[in-house]
Amino acid sequence: MYDFTYAKPANIADAVKTLAADAEAKALAGGMTFIPVLKQRLNKPSTVVDLSALGLNYIKLEGGKLIVGAMTPHGTVAASPEVKKALPALAELAGNIGDRQVRYRGTIGGSLANNDPSACYPAAVLALGATIKTNTRTIAADDYFQGMFTTALNPDEIITEVHFPLPEKAAYAKFANPASRYAMVGVFVAKFASGVRVAITGAGQNGVFRHAAFEAALSKSFTPDALNGITTPVDEMNADIHGSAPYRAHLVGVMAKRAVAAAG
Amino acid sequence: MVVDGIGASVKRKEDLRFLSGRGNYVDDMNRPGQAYGHFLRSDVPHGKLNKVDISAALKKPGVIAIYTGDDFAAVGGVPCGWQIHSKDGSPMVEPRHPVLAAGKVRHVGDPIALVVAETKQQAKDAAEAIILDIESLPAVANLTAALAPNAALVHDEAKGNICFDWHIGDKAAVEAGFAKAHKIVRLDLTNNRLVPNAMEPRAAIGDYDVSSGEYTLYTTSQNPHVIRLLMGAFVLGIPEHKLRVVAPDVGGGFGSKIFHYAEEAALTWAAAKVKRPIKWTADRTEAFITDAHGRDHISVAELALDAEGHFLALKVDTQANMGAYLSTFAPSVPTYLSATLLAGVYKTAAIYAEVKAVFTNTVPVDAYRGAGRPEATFLLERIVDVAAREMNMDRVEIRKKNFIPKDAFPYQTPIALQYDSGDYLATFDGALKAADYAGFEARRKAAAAKGKLRGIGISTYVEACGIAPSAVAGALGARAGLYEVANIRVHPTGSVTVFTGAHSHGQGHETTFAQLVSEQLGVPHDMIDIVHGDTGKVPFGMGTYGSRSLSVGGSAMVKAMDKIIDKGKKIAAHLMEADVHDIEFKDGKFSVVGTDKAKSFGEIALTAYVPHNYPIEELEPGLEETAFYDPKNFTYPGGCHICEVEIDPDTGVTQVINFTAVDDVGRVINPMIVEGQVQGGVAQGIGQALLEHAIYDESGQLLSGSMMDYTMPRADNIPNIFVGTETTLCTHNPLGSKGVGEVGAIGSPPAVINAVVDALRDYGVRHVDMPATAAKIWSLIDANQPKMAAE
Ligand SMILES: Cc1cc2nc3c(=O)[nH]c(=O)nc-3n(C[C@H](O)[C@H](O)[C@H](O)COP(=O)(O)OP(=O)(O)OC[C@H]3O[C@@H](n4cnc5c(N)ncnc54)[C@H](O)[C@@H]3O)c2cc1C
């Protein structure tokens, strides 16, 4: 990696100030994505702003919502009794991210800020219609994800919390990329009184997306069979050495059915 | 009585140090005054290297020196250790492999410059300031592209990119067999290219002592003496007495650390120039694009059968990818290590094989666990399964019908090798029983009820290891001898140090070899040390690969210990005033037969070093012996592997449910280590069969160039593996051991694929090439779905 200045601010205002002061300054959360990028010299920040002292590592239930602080590691979410009770699908999702070391370091804020097209959390956030709170505003999930590695965040903006509404039923089904074990296709289904939301990660060319046809069918009947015969457009799918676009389109259907079955 | 000698599952002596982080690997070593090396590498697959401008880089902070291809013009190229001759008698095309790229770059990862700086980061910073003028040329990234008419040439002197066009066997006899065949079965196969991925990446420190003029290379090697020979004699011109090569703890090799690599020569040479030690440790990315890859063969096989299913003749035509340069043993892999194994465990009367070795703009390809034998076994065991199906015969019956019977040994195959011993029916029946082959149909039905496609696959194999004797290896093209060396030093108080030319990088030699010594000399384990991996300590040796350490290296130890015992008897006879012929050595004691007079091993050792009462006229003091052991033949482990899989037809995912390996590895010294070796090999075989694939795109970029894209097998891909043994002894070495290092990786891939094809039998699938990834299986299922529905 290249040399950089390291800062560990004690509050959000200082963190934002440090980030705003320099266009080349960058935030560091768990470092699971950022540190390898630095090691490979693919990024040359002037200052690395460590967010770990901002007090953003917490989980709470408030006003019928599950609130997760941006610096909460995946392992903490997975093990949390509150999450397991209020939103078990989220605990399950977090518990299947990466390996033990990654879950110990990687954070929900880092995952959402990065918006890797194969990451798991974006599917949950979008399907649950969560809101992302930053140091300046609140962003609805539907407005937040804007394509691979692209989000509504401004350069100096820091994610502070994620607010999850609690569904009646929800589940995440992940078909792991055989090498990286990220999601090659991940489907999160969430059933609310108002209807069903379905978000797909890993498969699409533009990152996480909602599946309108699945949502319509499942809102009528929340059963795996309700998805019979509904296809996913192949030309919107990703293709790489691990799977063709038709394979991914097919897996979207298979994983969606498995998610619905798991949600019960 | 020796309790922890031959046959005991002694816990590995080395594990305490490995598991508690006290191993001493090259990257753990630091020399006083050490500088750091970094290699600037080509990211262009094929290009004309017009200019390497280092002027700005030299001015960067901390830079000590920068070397480029021009600096190495006067030294030798990286040599190849095996020469093959083509059908027409001409020697293989052997282009110069420069230490650093000269004139051209030929693959992504080809080293262009060595930057030496005070720190690793400074070396990297300076490398970024080197200005390269590379004119990109069309690249040939795979066998098909390289063999196409008018393909770009990797080396101008290798016309059509052909390195050699070799053959073996009796073509006329094969044609006669085909002429009278009832059926000819043809199969096109690809043996997928693999990245070895040892856990420890390669590393090296070049060191030069200005006062003595001695060079030392610390390197991650499976065979330090071979590196000393190749680098000293062929590349740098340093005589052996001035060059020491140390290969300390090494974190896995699987073949990839046999070879002499350019970085070793560059660092050793540069250390003398800058008069400081220079350390380099590859990162994982460098490992992917510079460690020699494995496999990468395309073959067409044809098997002729009579009406009863006897194998009459086998014809094989193989293209083997050599990569951009010839790595140390590359030419031997598709030829003498593969084609000669095409008889397998069968009585096939006539065999003919042709091999074209081809240059491409990819990382060099060389031996990888099994080296040639997995390729031969995959081909044979696949075509036997296809033949059974197309002859409407049972897969078990067709194999039994063609096995070489146990009373036929020694058995001369029609393709050069003479198998000394084996009992293929014993391992076969043992595996069928252990795997409950008879009960499979019930398990298939139970799986079908859950919506899963269950399949079972069998592979029966023989392999050849411990390549020997040296004279034969030489006649086949080896440029080195293939014996092994042991020096046994008995210390005055009776403890023992064994200096072996074999090298342990995961095999557990410190334990197994100590068991040999304990058994033969009656000395307890804590009095025995095994020293390996240092040309400054070990007299000589050829190292560890080809499952040779025990059968060749262990045999050398036995020979050296025989000499120790002979000398001990003479000393004992003198001390006890008996005739030497009346002295017997047993359980660590020299005794006079028929009396209660005895001397312990320790007493004899002490007498040898304190020769007050000693036959000094006839016998030198001291108790230390060396043996060079050159085997009479290869050894031939064999066996049967059975794999059971379940395929999820919705996703194409294959899960290995059961794996059974019953092998004949000759005499087993440590059953626990044998089990571990087989399990590790099978895990790699499952990796090759289902997951691993080094994929280059058309332009020559490695797409699966990191752990994010190259699928290594993980714990959840591997079932519990049943390991059994059925033993016949090697007839020509003193231990009767055959070797176990590679059997797992050799026997398993066709067992897995045969199971996959069996699972897909209702889908009209005849063959699946490796790796049988979920995506590939799903597309086969998908393509054949309509036909299923129509049926
Ligand atoms: C081996 C491995 C396997 C993995 N497997 C999976 C998987 O299966 N599924 C999955 O979903 N993910 C997976 N990941 C990703 C991992 O879980 C993390 O979510 C991811 O690396 C980012 O989180 P982080 O906390 O490490 O962020 P960092 O790497 O520290 O930061 C990532 C980016 O986000 C920015 N950032 C971080 N926090 C904030 C914030 N609060 N506000 C604004 N910007 C911020 C940083 O500036 C940086 O650009 C894997 C990672 C590895 C290394």
Side-chain angles (χ1 to χ4, degrees):
Chain A
M1 59 181 76
Y2 299 107
D3 281 351
F4 53 77
T5 309
Y6 173 79
K8 191 173 178 180
N11 59 63
I12 294 174
D14 283 352
V16 172
K17 207 160 84 197
T18 316
L19 283 170
D22 186 340
E24 301 300 321
K26 259 197 108 175
L28 172 72
M32 291 294 93
T33 297
F34 193 29
I35 301 283
V37 164
L38 292 179
K39 279 184 165 175
Q40 288 175 58
R41 298 185 156 220
L42 298 172
N43 198 304
K44 198 174 179 175
S46 54
T47 304
V48 169
V49 183
D50 186 342
L51 306 183
S52 65
L54 305 184
L56 294 176
N57 181 354
Y58 53 81
I59 292 168
K60 56 191 181 195
L61 272 167
E62 242 174 54
K65 292 203 167 167
L66 177 73
I67 299 174
V68 182
M71 287 298 288
T72 312
H74 314 324
T76 306
V77 172
S80 155
E82 289 96 330
V83 182
K84 280 189 187 166
K85 187 146 180 285
L87 193 40
L90 194 70
E92 175 91 14
L93 174 148
N96 282 309
I97 292 177
D99 48 50
R100 196 176 286 271
Q101 291 87 336
V102 167
R103 291 194 291 275
Y104 187 77
R105 295 287 312 167
T107 66
I108 189 168
S111 178
L112 294 175
N114 195 44
N115 192 20
D116 188 303
S118 309
C120 299
Y121 267 129
V125 167
L126 187 58
L128 289 164
T131 45
I132 288 146
K133 243 192 112 206
T134 73
N135 57 309
T136 58
R137 56 181 170 149
T138 302
I139 312 171
D142 285 315
D143 302 324
Y144 178 81
F145 299 105
Q146 302 193 346
M148 295 199 181
F149 300 107
T150 315
T151 69
L153 290 179
N154 296 318
D156 318 327
E157 203 169 357
I158 293 176
I159 301 177
T160 54
E161 299 183 330
V162 187
H163 292 225
F164 291 99
L166 300 179
E168 290 170 4
K169 291 174 175 182
Y172 178 62
K174 171 177 175 179
F175 186 90
N177 175 305
S180 73
R181 300 276 172 113
Y182 273 71
M184 192 151 117
V185 172
V187 180
F188 200 104
V189 297
K191 182 176 185 302
F192 294 93
S194 54
V196 175
R197 288 172 62 109
V198 181
I200 319 283
T201 188
Q205 282 173 14
N206 292 309
V208 68
F209 67 95
R210 283 176 65 185
H211 202 301
F214 284 2
E215 290 185 356
L218 292 171
S219 293
K220 279 194 206 118
S221 161
F222 193 72
T223 60
D225 284 347
L227 298 176
N228 284 346
I230 306 178
T231 55
T232 303
V234 170
D235 56 6
E236 288 168 20
M237 295 289 102
N238 226 339
D240 58 22
I241 57 172
H242 300 291
S244 62
Y247 182 48
R248 278 189 166 79
H250 166 79
L251 285 177
V252 168
V254 173
M255 290 298 124
K257 285 186 177 186
R258 289 184 184 179
V260 173
Chain B
M1 249 327 277
V2 177
V3 290
D4 43 13
I6 290 177
S9 281
V10 178
K11 292 247 164 64
R12 294 179 11 136
K13 290 174 83 168
E14 45 273 80
D15 281 347
L16 180 61
R17 110 169 161 270
F18 291 150
L19 298 177
S20 58
R22 293 189 183 88
N24 187 29
Y25 298 88
V26 173
D27 193 54
D28 295 323
M29 299 176 139
N30 292 296
R31 307 295 304 155
Q34 169 180 289
Y36 291 83
H38 174 74
F39 290 91
L40 175 68
R41 300 181 182 279
S42 178
D43 54 11
V44 176
H46 192 198
K48 201 159 157 269
L49 190 54
N50 289 329
K51 190 158 192 252
V52 183
D53 180 355
I54 59 170
S55 51
L58 277 171
K59 296 190 192 109
K60 287 280 181 183
V63 171
I64 299 164
I66 300 177
Y67 301 106
T68 67
D70 289 346
D71 295 300
F72 290 88
V75 306
V78 180
C80 179
W82 200 292
Q83 187 182 46
I84 294 291
H85 285 79
S86 286
K87 288 171 187 165
D88 63 7
S90 60
M92 67 187 188
V93 181
E94 204 173 344
R96 182 178 164 87
H97 178 181
V99 174
L100 296 177
K104 251 182 154 193
V105 288
R106 292 187 174 86
H107 68 91
V108 170
D110 214 355
I112 295 170
L114 167 61
V115 181
V116 183
E118 296 294 340
T119 72
K120 200 169 177 171
Q121 294 305 325
Q122 288 174 330
K124 286 189 178 182
D125 286 343
E128 286 179 8
I130 295 175
I131 300 162
L132 295 178
D133 175 2
I134 302 179
E135 185 183 327
S136 199
L137 298 169
V140 286
N142 56 56
L143 284 164
T144 313
L147 291 171
N150 304 317
L153 293 183
V154 180
H155 299 276
D156 291 342
E157 59 267 55
K159 300 294 169 227
N161 290 312
I162 304 278
C163 171
F164 58 78
D165 183 2
W166 173 90
H167 68 161
I168 191 167
D170 187 339
K171 193 176 182 181
V174 165
E175 266 153 23
F178 275 71
K180 65 175 185 210
H182 167 74
K183 185 164 187 79
I184 294 167
V185 177
R186 179 190 152 124
L187 189 62
D188 293 31
L189 316 95
T190 299
N191 208 286
N192 45 327
R193 185 180 181 111
L194 304 175
V195 179
N197 269 319
M199 193 179 293
E200 178 205 27
R202 287 191 296 119
I205 305 172
D207 200 351
Y208 178 69
D209 183 331
V210 182
S211 57
S212 67
E214 265 178 45
Y215 294 80
T216 305
L217 169 69
Y218 302 86
T219 185
T220 49
S221 175
Q222 301 178 212
N223 32 235
H225 287 90
V226 175
I227 303 302
R228 185 180 68 171
L229 179 73
L230 292 173
M231 184 178 85
F234 294 94
V235 189
L236 300 180
I238 305 169
E240 277 95 338
H241 71 293
K242 291 292 185 196
L243 174 58
R244 176 177 164 213
V245 178
V246 182
D249 285 333
V250 172
F254 311 111
S256 70
K257 292 172 184 166
I258 298 171
F259 323 122
H260 171 42
Y261 287 93
E263 291 88 356
E264 294 167 326
L267 293 162
T268 307
W269 180 90
K273 296 288 168 210
V274 302
K275 300 191 171 55
R276 286 176 65 177
I278 309 171
K279 179 175 184 171
W280 163 78
T281 305
D283 58 27
R284 185 58 61 184
T285 305
E286 259 179 316
F288 267 96
I289 56 173
T290 69
D291 292 0
H293 290 180
R295 319 278 193 254
D296 205 347
H297 292 181
I298 295 179
S299 297
V300 179
E302 286 176 280
L303 179 65
L305 300 101
D306 69 13
E308 282 86 50
H310 295 110
F311 305 158
L312 300 176
L314 177 70
K315 188 158 79 179
V316 175
D317 188 355
T318 294
Q319 299 165 359
N321 195 340
M322 296 285 107
Y325 303 102
L326 288 178
S327 176
T328 308
F329 287 124
S332 68
V333 175
T335 52
Y336 292 106
L337 294 180
S338 191
T340 52
L341 264 298
L342 287 170
V345 292
Y346 307 115
K347 293 176 294 188
T348 317
I351 300 173
Y352 177 68
E354 292 175 281
V355 179
K356 270 194 194 72
V358 182
F359 291 111
T360 60
N361 293 113
T362 64
V363 176
V365 181
D366 205 330
Y368 170 70
R369 199 171 193 172
R373 291 148 291 162
E375 293 90 322
T377 305
F378 183 68
L379 180 150
L380 203 53
E381 290 305 294
R382 280 298 303 132
I383 202 166
V384 166
D385 253 34
V386 172
R389 192 187 282 192
E390 293 179 2
M391 295 282 291
N392 264 324
M393 285 180 70
D394 184 81
R395 290 177 288 169
V396 168
E397 285 318 307
I398 199 168
R399 286 182 165 84
K400 277 191 174 167
K401 185 169 268 189
N402 287 284
F403 279 160
I404 298 161
K406 75 171 182 207
D407 57 12
F409 293 93
Y411 178 80
Q412 178 61 51
T413 73
I415 196 141
L417 302 179
Q418 191 188 76
Y419 303 160
D420 63 333
S421 66
D423 184 349
Y424 305 133
L425 201 54
T427 45
F428 192 53
D429 285 341
L432 291 172
K433 193 153 169 273
D436 184 25
Y437 187 79
F440 175 71
E441 279 312 316
R443 298 195 291 279
R444 191 202 293 273
K445 284 209 186 79
K450 296 184 301 177
K452 294 280 170 67
L453 309 171
R454 191 152 173 141
I456 193 162
I458 304 171
S459 145
T460 47
Y461 74 93
V462 64
E463 62 131 331
C465 44
I467 311 176
S470 293
V472 169
L476 303 182
R479 285 168 167 159
L482 281 158
Y483 48 84
E484 199 43 81
V485 184
N487 170 260
I488 310 266
R489 182 176 299 163
V490 181
H491 301 286
T493 56
S495 66
V496 179
T497 305
V498 178
F499 299 86
T500 170
H503 184 279
S504 188
H505 33 280
Q507 293 85 348
H509 292 170
E510 288 166 44
T511 308
T512 319
F513 290 171
Q515 284 179 258
L516 288 187
V517 176
S518 195
E519 175 84 26
Q520 198 171 342
L521 299 183
V523 175
H525 274 228
D526 57 1
M527 298 279 277
I528 305 162
D529 255 1
I530 308 296
V531 173
H532 64 90
D534 186 344
T535 65
K537 293 181 181 167
V538 178
F540 204 75
M542 300 310 294
T544 286
Y545 41 83
S547 307
R548 68 193 300 277
S549 301
L550 181 64
S551 63
V552 190
S555 294
M557 284 172 214
V558 171
K559 296 279 183 193
M561 286 189 284
D562 286 346
K563 295 187 194 176
I564 295 275
I565 292 168
D566 279 352
K567 185 167 180 182
K569 281 183 178 170
K570 288 180 189 155
I571 300 169
H574 176 86
L575 287 180
M576 296 186 280
E577 295 173 342
D579 189 289
V580 71
H581 301 291
D582 293 332
I583 304 290
E584 178 189 68
F585 181 68
K586 215 177 141 218
D587 297 339
K589 273 202 191 74
F590 294 90
S591 50
V592 183
V593 182
T595 74
D596 58 1
K597 285 205 272 184
K599 292 280 174 193
S600 71
F601 185 73
E603 286 174 284
I604 297 301
L606 192 63
T607 307
Y609 285 95
V610 187
H612 296 163
N613 176 13
Y614 197 82
I616 203 80
E617 298 293 322
E618 300 110 65
L619 216 55
E620 292 172 9
L623 198 53
E624 173 168 349
E625 297 289 348
T626 300
F628 281 60
Y629 174 73
D630 200 79
K632 295 189 186 70
N633 191 355
F634 293 65
T635 59
Y636 298 97
C640 175
H641 290 187
I642 299 182
C643 176
E644 222 168 302
V645 301
E646 273 186 12
I647 295 176
D648 176 350
D650 290 335
T651 59
V653 171
T654 300
Q655 190 70 38
V656 179
I657 307 287
N658 293 318
F659 200 99
T660 306
V662 177
D663 303 294
D664 175 3
V665 299
R667 185 175 325 278
V668 171
I669 308 301
N670 183 319
M672 179 194 72
I673 286 179
V674 162
E675 188 177 6
Q677 285 290 313
V678 174
Q679 288 173 333
V682 169
Q684 275 176 305
I686 291 173
Q688 165 158 33
L690 297 179
L691 305 165
E692 298 185 45
H693 200 183
I695 303 173
Y696 279 92
D697 71 9
E698 296 282 301
S699 78
Q701 294 291 341
L702 182 61
L703 297 180
S704 48
S706 82
M707 293 296 184
M708 294 298 276
D709 281 307
Y710 186 87
T711 313
M712 291 294 284
R714 302 187 198 194
D716 61 359
N717 300 118
I718 311 296
N720 276 326
I721 297 164
F722 174 87
V723 179
T725 49
E726 286 287 340
T727 303
T728 65
L729 296 179
C730 168
T731 59
H732 57 78
N733 71 36
L735 281 167
S737 294
K738 298 183 177 183
V740 71
E742 295 160 295
V743 294
I746 292 167
S748 58
V752 178
I753 295 298
N754 285 344
V756 166
V757 175
D758 182 50
L760 297 174
R761 63 182 177 178
D762 291 340
Y763 291 81
V765 173
R766 184 174 185 260
H767 175 65
V768 180
D769 266 324
M770 302 185 290
T773 60
K776 192 184 280 178
I777 299 289
W778 176 78
S779 60
L780 286 170
I781 289 175
D782 188 52
N784 293 297
Q785 207 81 53
K787 195 165 92 213
M788 285 284 294
E791 273 164 8

